[in-house]
Amino acid sequence: MATLLSSFVPLFLLLSIFYSFPGSFSTVETVKTFIFRVDSESKPSIFPTHYHWYTSEFAEPTRILHTYDTVFHGFSASLTETHAASLGNHPSVLAVLEDRRRELHTTRSPQFLGLRNQHGLWSDSDYGSDVIIGVFDTGVWPERRSFLDTNLGPVPARWKGVCQTGARFVAKNCNRKLIGARFFSKGHEAAAGPGGPIAGINQTVEFLSPRDADGHGTHTASTAAGRHAFRASMGGYAAGIAKGVAPKARLAVYKVCWKNSGCFDSDILAAFDTAVKDGVDVISISVGGGDGISTPYYLDPIAIGAYGAVSRGVFVSSSAGNDGPNIMSVTNLAPWLVTVGAGTIDRNFPADVVLSDGRRLNGVSLYSGVQLKGKMYPVVYPGKSGELSASLCMENSLDPNVVRGKIVICDRGSNPRVAKGMVVKEAGGIGMILANGASNGEGLVGDAHLLPACALGSDEGDAVKKYVSSSPNPTATIDVKGTVIGIKPAPVVASFSARGPNGLNPEILKPDLIAPGVNILAAWTDAVGPTGLESDPRKTEFNILSGTSMACPHVSGAAALLKSAHPDWSPAAIRSAMMTTASITDNTNRPMIDEATGKPSTPYDFGAGHLNLGRAMDPGLIYDITNSDYESFLCAIGYNPKLVQVVTRSPVVCPMKKPLPENLNYPSIAALFSTASRGPSSKTFTRTVTNVGQANSVYVANIVAPRGVTVTVKPMKLVFTAAVKKISFSVTITADSKHLVLDDAGAVFGSLTWTDGNKRHVVRSPIVVTQLDPL
């Protein structure tokens, strides 16, 4: 398990690149983008603004890309590594971060969360009409019905944002629903260099404006807050009324990600800085590391920007990542971020591969073109030749003489699923069977393929390959069945959803919770077809996508509803309400299943559980966290005052007695024990709950101890009155490392639940016990 970097690590390796010329050497240094965290209090009074100071003392104006002054103090600039390293020695510079590229973590879901027209949060909060959600993504296609402002009142008076114009985007593209739109490209342009994908932009590929050329941003924005759109579907699939979780919430779009080329930290940080100044209440960011590395918070601009937002009362929802089911794959780990994994809903798009021997292999498909209508075709598996690229159906890997007129089996992985179908089609194939490998298990997502296709889980994929290898004349057909609702069990933890434990600070359970993220219908761009491939000529108003990117905006919309219903709640209070009321059972009243294994899932898979908005509105008790609590946490994990200030902006004095990171007032408890301990050892945790229900309430603790572990709580009863609204309690966990029987992820799990007298409020916190090897 990853260990904490307790001291500041070198930020740069100074490299020289030598080019050889006849008789001489010349040194040329590459210019890169760096983000400089500056102590704002150090500005000499002679300079009227920080920008004047930065351009005079640190970098010439043409080199500076962004200046930051709200969630972060400093600037980003394009410099050589030598120059950046030199500025890093300036006494006013607290940290230097090299700009990194981030990846996007690619309507029935509101009902599945328990929302009903004119009931609960869709009534008491007026659908979130007074709340502003800022979406950091690829922009927006503003003409979609999901963004109409019919019957919406005036824009909240506190809004200070703008509708930034640009390529195919004018001021009237904003309205009382889409109240603001901006784009951030300077970091991206600097990384692309002259003639890059944005500099000298090709308008058929991308728009230098808030307009969405990719589709991802339009989809996430409408998932969070799309208006009711009747007769919605994607090629006939998922037909019905499309709507977001908070249909009347206002939207502000911040385009930080660019088609085919990702998102850069310097631009993301600028969006955080601007969005908080603009007046957003919620930030939704379906973006993550993509490099599998747990970056310390003081080197992570998403964590730094999010802290600046949360410290000012803005709720920040982030996606957990799509590298599941690998353990420790979860990203966006900062405890002030709400980290969201993905689950299924009770709707599916089944399809069968029918073999000539009569067997039906069950899979999924969103293919909406001309069907095979039961006609049998020869089946071929290019992987039989042993050539990896052919088995994956990579570009130019298939021999038309082998696949023409046949159904081709393609292994999942390496290139996009829909791109494999295009490769098969271009080689003359009649259809495709997309087979999961062992790493994907039985997890399936639907795709709007360009030819008849069916995705199969690992077991069914192996079965069809075995059939092809053992039959002298293998034939099959693909039977696509459309939309089916009422699927059981649901939710199921999606196989791709990133898993814990937290690779940076395992004392904080991540992900926090899961939300719908599989086969989600939402609005789409007109710039590309539903597959996102340039070669896909189709246009669709709505598209069906899967990913933690889709789960994140469900929580963002939920936060808007809760913020509207409870304006005085902090971001931590909203997160607590979601976590402590989350569901851990499916619609068959059994424990949620892990799609990858078919076995019961754990808090490393789903955090506190699946979002249950009907209960989150009235949680009874909340675990609140203040800015000073987060500062103490950063001191507890070994950050010195300078590193804490990099994150928090304000100078901090860490206490003489080092606090314990596990005592952060989080709605979950993770106990770490050393494998070197001899005999039983104990850890005691302190938590404080605030009563947000009836003034005179009594709560009693119910403990489900992890296997082989003893858990005690003091006191076992919490008595609240009009005068007593906050009560602290302790949880002592005792374990004998030699006798712990851990699961495959190296942990055992339990829970602590506080219940009031009539069991109207059930406030549940997961307990995780794990072992660490001594340092």
Side-chain angles (χ1 to χ4, degrees), residues 129-136 154-164 174-182 184 250-254 271 273-283 314:
S129 63
D130 55 340
V131 177
I132 303 166
I133 302 175
V135 180
F136 294 9
V155 173
R158 68 184 184 281
W159 175 245
K160 298 180 177 63
V162 302
C163 193
Q164 186 178 2
C174 294
N175 55 23
R176 294 189 306 274
K177 173 65 175 178
L178 181 62
I179 64 174
R182 298 181 187 261
F184 299 83
R250 316 306 174 120
L251 280 167
V253 167
Y254 298 83
D273 209 57
T274 304
V276 172
K277 281 187 287 191
D278 285 348
V280 302
D281 301 295
V282 175
I283 289 174
V314 178

mmCIF file of all heavy atoms in Angstrom, residues 129-136 154-164 174-182 184 250-254 271 273-283 314:
data_model
loop_
_atom_site.group_PDB
_atom_site.id
_atom_site.type_symbol
_atom_site.label_atom_id
_atom_site.label_comp_id
_atom_site.label_asym_id
_atom_site.label_seq_id
_atom_site.Cartn_x
_atom_site.Cartn_y
_atom_site.Cartn_z
ATOM 1 N N SER A 129 -34.170 25.226 -7.959
ATOM 2 C CA SER A 129 -34.142 26.391 -8.858
ATOM 3 C C SER A 129 -33.258 27.530 -8.348
ATOM 4 O O SER A 129 -32.873 28.405 -9.130
ATOM 5 C CB SER A 129 -35.561 26.909 -9.100
ATOM 6 O OG SER A 129 -36.134 27.370 -7.884
ATOM 7 N N ASP A 130 -32.960 27.547 -7.051
ATOM 8 C CA ASP A 130 -32.151 28.635 -6.501
ATOM 9 C C ASP A 130 -30.678 28.269 -6.374
ATOM 10 O O ASP A 130 -29.891 29.020 -5.798
ATOM 11 C CB ASP A 130 -32.691 29.032 -5.124
ATOM 12 C CG ASP A 130 -32.782 27.852 -4.160
ATOM 13 O OD1 ASP A 130 -32.798 26.698 -4.641
ATOM 14 O OD2 ASP A 130 -32.847 28.076 -2.943
ATOM 15 N N VAL A 131 -30.283 27.115 -6.917
ATOM 16 C CA VAL A 131 -28.917 26.605 -6.778
ATOM 17 C C VAL A 131 -28.230 26.600 -8.139
ATOM 18 O O VAL A 131 -28.850 26.302 -9.165
ATOM 19 C CB VAL A 131 -28.912 25.190 -6.162
ATOM 20 C CG1 VAL A 131 -27.499 24.638 -6.075
ATOM 21 C CG2 VAL A 131 -29.553 25.227 -4.773
ATOM 22 N N ILE A 132 -26.931 26.922 -8.143
ATOM 23 C CA ILE A 132 -26.145 26.990 -9.381
ATOM 24 C C ILE A 132 -25.110 25.870 -9.374
ATOM 25 O O ILE A 132 -24.281 25.778 -8.461
ATOM 26 C CB ILE A 132 -25.438 28.352 -9.507
ATOM 27 C CG1 ILE A 132 -26.457 29.489 -9.445
ATOM 28 C CG2 ILE A 132 -24.626 28.418 -10.807
ATOM 29 C CD1 ILE A 132 -25.825 30.859 -9.228
ATOM 30 N N ILE A 133 -25.152 25.030 -10.404
ATOM 31 C CA ILE A 133 -24.195 23.925 -10.551
ATOM 32 C C ILE A 133 -23.178 24.302 -11.616
ATOM 33 O O ILE A 133 -23.541 24.603 -12.758
ATOM 34 C CB ILE A 133 -24.895 22.615 -10.962
ATOM 35 C CG1 ILE A 133 -25.975 22.228 -9.936
ATOM 36 C CG2 ILE A 133 -23.876 21.484 -11.106
ATOM 37 C CD1 ILE A 133 -26.782 21.001 -10.346
ATOM 38 N N GLY A 134 -21.906 24.296 -11.257
ATOM 39 C CA GLY A 134 -20.838 24.511 -12.224
ATOM 40 C C GLY A 134 -20.301 23.173 -12.710
ATOM 41 O O GLY A 134 -19.908 22.333 -11.899
ATOM 42 N N VAL A 135 -20.313 22.949 -14.005
ATOM 43 C CA VAL A 135 -19.872 21.676 -14.592
ATOM 44 C C VAL A 135 -18.552 21.901 -15.319
ATOM 45 O O VAL A 135 -18.487 22.676 -16.284
ATOM 46 C CB VAL A 135 -20.936 21.104 -15.556
ATOM 47 C CG1 VAL A 135 -20.457 19.794 -16.157
ATOM 48 C CG2 VAL A 135 -22.264 20.900 -14.825
ATOM 49 N N PHE A 136 -17.492 21.241 -14.857
ATOM 50 C CA PHE A 136 -16.174 21.303 -15.493
ATOM 51 C C PHE A 136 -16.059 20.124 -16.442
ATOM 52 O O PHE A 136 -15.952 18.971 -16.004
ATOM 53 C CB PHE A 136 -15.057 21.216 -14.451
ATOM 54 C CG PHE A 136 -14.952 22.374 -13.499
ATOM 55 C CD1 PHE A 136 -15.920 23.357 -13.448
ATOM 56 C CD2 PHE A 136 -13.868 22.474 -12.647
ATOM 57 C CE1 PHE A 136 -15.823 24.426 -12.573
ATOM 58 C CE2 PHE A 136 -13.752 23.536 -11.766
ATOM 59 C CZ PHE A 136 -14.731 24.514 -11.727
ATOM 60 N N PRO A 154 -36.123 34.467 -12.543
ATOM 61 C CA PRO A 154 -34.898 35.216 -12.838
ATOM 62 C C PRO A 154 -33.660 34.482 -12.344
ATOM 63 O O PRO A 154 -33.717 33.682 -11.405
ATOM 64 C CB PRO A 154 -35.099 36.533 -12.072
ATOM 65 C CG PRO A 154 -36.563 36.620 -11.814
ATOM 66 C CD PRO A 154 -37.058 35.219 -11.698
ATOM 67 N N VAL A 155 -32.528 34.787 -12.968
ATOM 68 C CA VAL A 155 -31.243 34.234 -12.544
ATOM 69 C C VAL A 155 -30.952 34.729 -11.121
ATOM 70 O O VAL A 155 -31.196 35.904 -10.805
ATOM 71 C CB VAL A 155 -30.126 34.691 -13.511
ATOM 72 C CG1 VAL A 155 -28.752 34.264 -12.999
ATOM 73 C CG2 VAL A 155 -30.391 34.138 -14.904
ATOM 74 N N PRO A 156 -30.468 33.861 -10.228
ATOM 75 C CA PRO A 156 -30.149 34.316 -8.869
ATOM 76 C C PRO A 156 -29.288 35.577 -8.889
ATOM 77 O O PRO A 156 -28.313 35.680 -9.644
ATOM 78 C CB PRO A 156 -29.397 33.114 -8.284
ATOM 79 C CG PRO A 156 -29.969 31.931 -9.001
ATOM 80 C CD PRO A 156 -30.226 32.415 -10.399
ATOM 81 N N ALA A 157 -29.646 36.541 -8.040
ATOM 82 C CA ALA A 157 -29.001 37.859 -8.066
ATOM 83 C C ALA A 157 -27.521 37.787 -7.727
ATOM 84 O O ALA A 157 -26.749 38.667 -8.133
ATOM 85 C CB ALA A 157 -29.718 38.787 -7.085
ATOM 86 N N ARG A 158 -27.110 36.760 -6.999
ATOM 87 C CA ARG A 158 -25.701 36.662 -6.583
ATOM 88 C C ARG A 158 -24.783 36.228 -7.732
ATOM 89 O O ARG A 158 -23.556 36.267 -7.594
ATOM 90 C CB ARG A 158 -25.559 35.681 -5.435
ATOM 91 C CG ARG A 158 -25.826 34.242 -5.818
ATOM 92 C CD ARG A 158 -25.764 33.302 -4.620
ATOM 93 N NE ARG A 158 -25.920 31.906 -5.001
ATOM 94 C CZ ARG A 158 -27.071 31.326 -5.275
ATOM 95 N NH1 ARG A 158 -28.189 32.044 -5.229
ATOM 96 N NH2 ARG A 158 -27.134 30.050 -5.615
ATOM 97 N N TRP A 159 -25.358 35.822 -8.870
ATOM 98 C CA TRP A 159 -24.551 35.310 -9.983
ATOM 99 C C TRP A 159 -23.697 36.416 -10.587
ATOM 100 O O TRP A 159 -24.183 37.488 -10.926
ATOM 101 C CB TRP A 159 -25.458 34.699 -11.046
ATOM 102 C CG TRP A 159 -24.735 34.245 -12.290
ATOM 103 C CD1 TRP A 159 -24.878 34.749 -13.546
ATOM 104 C CD2 TRP A 159 -23.764 33.205 -12.386
ATOM 105 N NE1 TRP A 159 -24.072 34.084 -14.427
ATOM 106 C CE2 TRP A 159 -23.354 33.125 -13.736
ATOM 107 C CE3 TRP A 159 -23.191 32.327 -11.472
ATOM 108 C CZ2 TRP A 159 -22.418 32.211 -14.184
ATOM 109 C CZ3 TRP A 159 -22.251 31.417 -11.915
ATOM 110 C CH2 TRP A 159 -21.869 31.360 -13.250
ATOM 111 N N LYS A 160 -22.404 36.160 -10.731
ATOM 112 C CA LYS A 160 -21.475 37.150 -11.278
ATOM 113 C C LYS A 160 -20.780 36.663 -12.541
ATOM 114 O O LYS A 160 -19.839 37.294 -13.013
ATOM 115 C CB LYS A 160 -20.417 37.517 -10.224
ATOM 116 C CG LYS A 160 -20.979 38.158 -8.958
ATOM 117 C CD LYS A 160 -19.880 38.483 -7.983
ATOM 118 C CE LYS A 160 -20.418 39.182 -6.746
ATOM 119 N NZ LYS A 160 -21.344 38.325 -5.976
ATOM 120 N N GLY A 161 -21.216 35.533 -13.086
ATOM 121 C CA GLY A 161 -20.544 34.952 -14.230
ATOM 122 C C GLY A 161 -20.930 35.601 -15.547
ATOM 123 O O GLY A 161 -21.714 36.551 -15.599
ATOM 124 N N VAL A 162 -20.381 35.063 -16.641
ATOM 125 C CA VAL A 162 -20.620 35.608 -17.975
ATOM 126 C C VAL A 162 -20.921 34.484 -18.952
ATOM 127 O O VAL A 162 -20.733 33.304 -18.650
ATOM 128 C CB VAL A 162 -19.381 36.394 -18.483
ATOM 129 C CG1 VAL A 162 -19.028 37.521 -17.539
ATOM 130 C CG2 VAL A 162 -18.185 35.454 -18.680
ATOM 131 N N CYS A 163 -21.390 34.869 -20.094
ATOM 132 C CA CYS A 163 -21.559 33.950 -21.219
ATOM 133 C C CYS A 163 -20.478 34.315 -22.234
ATOM 134 O O CYS A 163 -20.624 35.265 -23.007
ATOM 135 C CB CYS A 163 -22.957 34.098 -21.811
ATOM 136 S SG CYS A 163 -23.411 32.765 -22.943
ATOM 137 N N GLN A 164 -19.390 33.603 -22.184
ATOM 138 C CA GLN A 164 -18.221 33.925 -23.011
ATOM 139 C C GLN A 164 -18.476 33.475 -24.447
ATOM 140 O O GLN A 164 -18.816 32.321 -24.703
ATOM 141 C CB GLN A 164 -16.978 33.233 -22.442
ATOM 142 C CG GLN A 164 -15.682 33.604 -23.146
ATOM 143 C CD GLN A 164 -14.485 32.918 -22.516
ATOM 144 O OE1 GLN A 164 -14.624 32.137 -21.582
ATOM 145 N NE2 GLN A 164 -13.308 33.209 -23.040
ATOM 146 N N CYS A 174 -26.856 31.498 -23.892
ATOM 147 C CA CYS A 174 -27.157 31.380 -22.469
ATOM 148 C C CYS A 174 -28.580 31.889 -22.226
ATOM 149 O O CYS A 174 -29.124 32.671 -22.999
ATOM 150 C CB CYS A 174 -26.163 32.167 -21.627
ATOM 151 S SG CYS A 174 -24.469 31.521 -21.692
ATOM 152 N N ASN A 175 -29.187 31.430 -21.130
ATOM 153 C CA ASN A 175 -30.557 31.827 -20.793
ATOM 154 C C ASN A 175 -30.739 31.697 -19.285
ATOM 155 O O ASN A 175 -29.761 31.660 -18.541
ATOM 156 C CB ASN A 175 -31.575 30.966 -21.579
ATOM 157 C CG ASN A 175 -31.359 29.465 -21.351
ATOM 158 O OD1 ASN A 175 -30.782 29.051 -20.336
ATOM 159 N ND2 ASN A 175 -31.814 28.651 -22.289
ATOM 160 N N ARG A 176 -31.962 31.601 -18.824
ATOM 161 C CA ARG A 176 -32.208 31.500 -17.384
ATOM 162 C C ARG A 176 -31.896 30.103 -16.844
ATOM 163 O O ARG A 176 -31.895 29.903 -15.630
ATOM 164 C CB ARG A 176 -33.651 31.878 -17.060
ATOM 165 C CG ARG A 176 -33.974 33.350 -17.330
ATOM 166 C CD ARG A 176 -35.357 33.735 -16.793
ATOM 167 N NE ARG A 176 -36.414 32.867 -17.293
ATOM 168 C CZ ARG A 176 -37.050 33.044 -18.430
ATOM 169 N NH1 ARG A 176 -36.740 34.080 -19.226
ATOM 170 N NH2 ARG A 176 -38.003 32.215 -18.807
ATOM 171 N N LYS A 177 -31.653 29.155 -17.708
ATOM 172 C CA LYS A 177 -31.235 27.812 -17.303
ATOM 173 C C LYS A 177 -29.716 27.688 -17.393
ATOM 174 O O LYS A 177 -29.040 27.431 -16.402
ATOM 175 C CB LYS A 177 -31.906 26.758 -18.199
ATOM 176 C CG LYS A 177 -31.406 25.327 -17.962
ATOM 177 C CD LYS A 177 -31.772 24.844 -16.573
ATOM 178 C CE LYS A 177 -31.370 23.389 -16.388
ATOM 179 N NZ LYS A 177 -31.677 22.918 -15.018
ATOM 180 N N LEU A 178 -29.178 27.864 -18.586
ATOM 181 C CA LEU A 178 -27.732 27.865 -18.805
ATOM 182 C C LEU A 178 -27.267 29.303 -18.588
ATOM 183 O O LEU A 178 -27.178 30.087 -19.522
ATOM 184 C CB LEU A 178 -27.416 27.375 -20.221
ATOM 185 C CG LEU A 178 -25.942 27.292 -20.616
ATOM 186 C CD1 LEU A 178 -25.193 26.298 -19.747
ATOM 187 C CD2 LEU A 178 -25.815 26.924 -22.089
ATOM 188 N N ILE A 179 -26.976 29.648 -17.344
ATOM 189 C CA ILE A 179 -26.788 31.061 -17.009
ATOM 190 C C ILE A 179 -25.367 31.545 -17.264
ATOM 191 O O ILE A 179 -25.112 32.758 -17.254
ATOM 192 C CB ILE A 179 -27.180 31.349 -15.546
ATOM 193 C CG1 ILE A 179 -26.267 30.600 -14.561
ATOM 194 C CG2 ILE A 179 -28.643 30.995 -15.306
ATOM 195 C CD1 ILE A 179 -26.519 30.978 -13.113
ATOM 196 N N GLY A 180 -24.440 30.640 -17.506
ATOM 197 C CA GLY A 180 -23.069 31.059 -17.772
ATOM 198 C C GLY A 180 -22.311 29.990 -18.521
ATOM 199 O O GLY A 180 -22.630 28.798 -18.445
ATOM 200 N N ALA A 181 -21.313 30.409 -19.279
ATOM 201 C CA ALA A 181 -20.473 29.473 -20.019
ATOM 202 C C ALA A 181 -19.119 30.130 -20.263
ATOM 203 O O ALA A 181 -19.055 31.292 -20.676
ATOM 204 C CB ALA A 181 -21.132 29.083 -21.343
ATOM 205 N N ARG A 182 -18.060 29.395 -19.989
ATOM 206 C CA ARG A 182 -16.706 29.884 -20.222
ATOM 207 C C ARG A 182 -15.858 28.745 -20.771
ATOM 208 O O ARG A 182 -16.204 27.563 -20.642
ATOM 209 C CB ARG A 182 -16.068 30.372 -18.919
ATOM 210 C CG ARG A 182 -16.746 31.553 -18.220
ATOM 211 C CD ARG A 182 -15.969 31.898 -16.967
ATOM 212 N NE ARG A 182 -16.562 32.894 -16.110
ATOM 213 C CZ ARG A 182 -16.227 34.180 -16.081
ATOM 214 N NH1 ARG A 182 -15.305 34.633 -16.929
ATOM 215 N NH2 ARG A 182 -16.788 35.008 -15.225
ATOM 216 N N PHE A 184 -11.541 27.473 -21.079
ATOM 217 C CA PHE A 184 -10.181 27.658 -20.582
ATOM 218 C C PHE A 184 -9.248 26.819 -21.447
ATOM 219 O O PHE A 184 -9.287 25.590 -21.391
ATOM 220 C CB PHE A 184 -10.083 27.240 -19.119
ATOM 221 C CG PHE A 184 -10.982 28.043 -18.215
ATOM 222 C CD1 PHE A 184 -12.323 27.707 -18.071
ATOM 223 C CD2 PHE A 184 -10.501 29.156 -17.550
ATOM 224 C CE1 PHE A 184 -13.161 28.460 -17.260
ATOM 225 C CE2 PHE A 184 -11.323 29.914 -16.732
ATOM 226 C CZ PHE A 184 -12.661 29.563 -16.595
ATOM 227 N N ARG A 250 -29.807 25.877 -11.857
ATOM 228 C CA ARG A 250 -29.145 26.637 -12.911
ATOM 229 C C ARG A 250 -27.802 25.979 -13.229
ATOM 230 O O ARG A 250 -27.141 25.409 -12.360
ATOM 231 C CB ARG A 250 -28.927 28.089 -12.472
ATOM 232 C CG ARG A 250 -30.119 28.724 -11.786
ATOM 233 C CD ARG A 250 -31.415 28.661 -12.592
ATOM 234 N NE ARG A 250 -32.540 29.152 -11.814
ATOM 235 C CZ ARG A 250 -33.281 30.188 -12.162
ATOM 236 N NH1 ARG A 250 -33.028 30.857 -13.282
ATOM 237 N NH2 ARG A 250 -34.288 30.580 -11.383
ATOM 238 N N LEU A 251 -27.395 26.114 -14.479
ATOM 239 C CA LEU A 251 -26.144 25.522 -14.939
ATOM 240 C C LEU A 251 -25.160 26.600 -15.382
ATOM 241 O O LEU A 251 -25.529 27.552 -16.065
ATOM 242 C CB LEU A 251 -26.392 24.568 -16.121
ATOM 243 C CG LEU A 251 -26.906 23.166 -15.790
ATOM 244 C CD1 LEU A 251 -27.389 22.470 -17.059
ATOM 245 C CD2 LEU A 251 -25.821 22.332 -15.120
ATOM 246 N N ALA A 252 -23.907 26.399 -14.975
ATOM 247 C CA ALA A 252 -22.801 27.216 -15.486
ATOM 248 C C ALA A 252 -21.754 26.246 -15.989
ATOM 249 O O ALA A 252 -21.294 25.369 -15.245
ATOM 250 C CB ALA A 252 -22.227 28.104 -14.389
ATOM 251 N N VAL A 253 -21.399 26.368 -17.244
ATOM 252 C CA VAL A 253 -20.498 25.402 -17.884
ATOM 253 C C VAL A 253 -19.103 25.996 -18.002
ATOM 254 O O VAL A 253 -18.931 27.132 -18.467
ATOM 255 C CB VAL A 253 -21.053 25.006 -19.267
ATOM 256 C CG1 VAL A 253 -20.003 24.268 -20.074
ATOM 257 C CG2 VAL A 253 -22.303 24.141 -19.100
ATOM 258 N N TYR A 254 -18.112 25.222 -17.593
ATOM 259 C CA TYR A 254 -16.709 25.634 -17.659
ATOM 260 C C TYR A 254 -15.965 24.590 -18.494
ATOM 261 O O TYR A 254 -15.704 23.489 -18.033
ATOM 262 C CB TYR A 254 -16.119 25.741 -16.247
ATOM 263 C CG TYR A 254 -16.815 26.788 -15.406
ATOM 264 C CD1 TYR A 254 -17.996 26.487 -14.739
ATOM 265 C CD2 TYR A 254 -16.317 28.081 -15.322
ATOM 266 C CE1 TYR A 254 -18.662 27.450 -13.993
ATOM 267 C CE2 TYR A 254 -16.976 29.050 -14.577
ATOM 268 C CZ TYR A 254 -18.152 28.728 -13.919
ATOM 269 O OH TYR A 254 -18.797 29.685 -13.187
ATOM 270 N N ALA A 271 -10.450 27.332 -13.766
ATOM 271 C CA ALA A 271 -11.904 27.178 -13.711
ATOM 272 C C ALA A 271 -12.388 27.177 -12.262
ATOM 273 O O ALA A 271 -13.417 27.790 -11.946
ATOM 274 C CB ALA A 271 -12.321 25.886 -14.414
ATOM 275 N N ASP A 273 -10.969 28.680 -9.774
ATOM 276 C CA ASP A 273 -10.810 30.057 -9.314
ATOM 277 C C ASP A 273 -11.973 30.925 -9.805
ATOM 278 O O ASP A 273 -12.543 31.719 -9.055
ATOM 279 C CB ASP A 273 -9.477 30.596 -9.836
ATOM 280 C CG ASP A 273 -8.852 31.647 -8.938
ATOM 281 O OD1 ASP A 273 -8.624 31.334 -7.754
ATOM 282 O OD2 ASP A 273 -8.609 32.766 -9.406
ATOM 283 N N THR A 274 -12.322 30.760 -11.068
ATOM 284 C CA THR A 274 -13.364 31.587 -11.676
ATOM 285 C C THR A 274 -14.751 31.192 -11.193
ATOM 286 O O THR A 274 -15.592 32.055 -10.903
ATOM 287 C CB THR A 274 -13.290 31.467 -13.210
ATOM 288 O OG1 THR A 274 -11.975 31.819 -13.647
ATOM 289 C CG2 THR A 274 -14.311 32.365 -13.875
ATOM 290 N N ALA A 275 -15.015 29.889 -11.105
ATOM 291 C CA ALA A 275 -16.354 29.417 -10.733
ATOM 292 C C ALA A 275 -16.739 29.886 -9.335
ATOM 293 O O ALA A 275 -17.892 30.278 -9.088
ATOM 294 C CB ALA A 275 -16.414 27.898 -10.817
ATOM 295 N N VAL A 276 -15.788 29.861 -8.403
ATOM 296 C CA VAL A 276 -16.095 30.312 -7.045
ATOM 297 C C VAL A 276 -16.387 31.811 -7.047
ATOM 298 O O VAL A 276 -17.328 32.280 -6.386
ATOM 299 C CB VAL A 276 -14.936 29.958 -6.094
ATOM 300 C CG1 VAL A 276 -15.154 30.587 -4.724
ATOM 301 C CG2 VAL A 276 -14.806 28.443 -5.965
ATOM 302 N N LYS A 277 -15.611 32.581 -7.804
ATOM 303 C CA LYS A 277 -15.900 34.018 -7.918
ATOM 304 C C LYS A 277 -17.256 34.264 -8.588
ATOM 305 O O LYS A 277 -17.975 35.205 -8.229
ATOM 306 C CB LYS A 277 -14.789 34.719 -8.719
ATOM 307 C CG LYS A 277 -13.537 35.008 -7.933
ATOM 308 C CD LYS A 277 -12.536 35.836 -8.702
ATOM 309 C CE LYS A 277 -11.853 35.045 -9.794
ATOM 310 N NZ LYS A 277 -10.688 35.775 -10.374
ATOM 311 N N ASP A 278 -17.606 33.414 -9.549
ATOM 312 C CA ASP A 278 -18.872 33.585 -10.264
ATOM 313 C C ASP A 278 -20.069 33.357 -9.351
ATOM 314 O O ASP A 278 -21.150 33.911 -9.600
ATOM 315 C CB ASP A 278 -18.956 32.617 -11.441
ATOM 316 C CG ASP A 278 -18.084 33.035 -12.617
ATOM 317 O OD1 ASP A 278 -17.592 34.181 -12.619
ATOM 318 O OD2 ASP A 278 -17.888 32.200 -13.531
ATOM 319 N N GLY A 279 -19.921 32.513 -8.335
ATOM 320 C CA GLY A 279 -21.018 32.278 -7.402
ATOM 321 C C GLY A 279 -21.688 30.929 -7.497
ATOM 322 O O GLY A 279 -22.855 30.788 -7.092
ATOM 323 N N VAL A 280 -20.997 29.886 -8.007
ATOM 324 C CA VAL A 280 -21.610 28.564 -8.058
ATOM 325 C C VAL A 280 -21.772 28.006 -6.642
ATOM 326 O O VAL A 280 -21.048 28.375 -5.719
ATOM 327 C CB VAL A 280 -20.795 27.582 -8.929
ATOM 328 C CG1 VAL A 280 -20.633 28.114 -10.340
ATOM 329 C CG2 VAL A 280 -19.452 27.261 -8.297
ATOM 330 N N ASP A 281 -22.733 27.100 -6.485
ATOM 331 C CA ASP A 281 -22.970 26.421 -5.204
ATOM 332 C C ASP A 281 -22.426 24.999 -5.204
ATOM 333 O O ASP A 281 -22.108 24.450 -4.154
ATOM 334 C CB ASP A 281 -24.468 26.356 -4.917
ATOM 335 C CG ASP A 281 -25.095 27.731 -4.860
ATOM 336 O OD1 ASP A 281 -24.752 28.502 -3.946
ATOM 337 O OD2 ASP A 281 -25.916 28.035 -5.751
ATOM 338 N N VAL A 282 -22.369 24.404 -6.390
ATOM 339 C CA VAL A 282 -21.928 23.018 -6.556
ATOM 340 C C VAL A 282 -20.986 22.976 -7.747
ATOM 341 O O VAL A 282 -21.241 23.644 -8.761
ATOM 342 C CB VAL A 282 -23.126 22.070 -6.801
ATOM 343 C CG1 VAL A 282 -22.661 20.651 -7.098
ATOM 344 C CG2 VAL A 282 -24.076 22.075 -5.603
ATOM 345 N N ILE A 283 -19.905 22.213 -7.637
ATOM 346 C CA ILE A 283 -19.012 21.971 -8.773
ATOM 347 C C ILE A 283 -19.007 20.481 -9.062
ATOM 348 O O ILE A 283 -18.838 19.655 -8.156
ATOM 349 C CB ILE A 283 -17.583 22.467 -8.494
ATOM 350 C CG1 ILE A 283 -17.554 23.997 -8.478
ATOM 351 C CG2 ILE A 283 -16.594 21.936 -9.539
ATOM 352 C CD1 ILE A 283 -16.218 24.598 -8.080
ATOM 353 N N VAL A 314 -18.668 25.695 -1.171
ATOM 354 C CA VAL A 314 -19.081 25.098 -2.444
ATOM 355 C C VAL A 314 -18.874 23.585 -2.377
ATOM 356 O O VAL A 314 -17.778 23.110 -2.069
ATOM 357 C CB VAL A 314 -18.280 25.688 -3.620
ATOM 358 C CG1 VAL A 314 -18.684 25.024 -4.932
ATOM 359 C CG2 VAL A 314 -18.474 27.192 -3.692
#
